[in-house]
Amino acid sequence: MTEAAIPEPTPEQAALFARVRRMMLIAGATTGIAVAAVLFAVGYRLFKSEGSVTTAATDVTAALPKGARIVSTAVAGDRLVVTLDVGGSVEIRTFDARTLKPAGKLKFVSEP
């Protein structure tokens, strides 16, 4: 058996090989940086969200005006929105969804 002889590359071929190697290094480095950035972002989000998940559960009792009726409830962002019917007028109360502390009150009344 004879071994196939590999001829020495010409200067143009050597330059082309060097250019391809350089482009492969750039592509590999870019891919590595992108993968590292994604892993960092995922790890950061997991680490950051752990603190908000472990908040203690709280029981809150909110007193409604006499004769008030809850019309609807909704969640808007980080707020809990409760719509009340108080003696024919509409009132909207908002609470912080995490702590359930009152965040605001809006009353709608008819003009005389």
Side-chain angles (χ1 to χ4, degrees):
M1 275 194 184
T2 60
E3 301 230 0
I6 300 174
E8 220 30 60
T10 65
E12 294 86 19
Q13 290 174 335
L16 180 65
F17 293 157
R19 192 168 134 198
V20 169
R21 277 193 200 106
R22 187 171 48 246
M23 288 176 16
M24 292 289 290
L25 284 173
I26 291 170
T30 305
T31 303
I33 291 170
V35 168
V38 168
L39 291 177
F40 176 77
V42 168
Y44 178 78
R45 294 288 295 194
L46 287 175
F47 177 74
K48 198 70 170 159
S49 68
E50 276 185 19
S52 64
V53 172
T54 59
T55 57
T58 57
D59 292 333
V60 176
T61 302
L64 297 177
K66 194 169 225 174
R69 184 174 66 92
I70 296 176
V71 177
S72 70
T73 59
V75 177
D78 61 344
R79 300 276 192 235
L80 174 65
V81 182
V82 180
T83 306
L84 304 173
D85 179 13
V86 184
S89 65
V90 177
E91 183 176 315
I92 297 175
R93 294 187 181 188
T94 57
F95 301 89
D96 186 279
R98 295 180 199 270
T99 62
L100 297 179
K101 291 182 180 177
K105 185 188 300 188
L106 177 63
K107 290 183 181 182
F108 296 99
V109 293
S110 299
E111 288 186 29

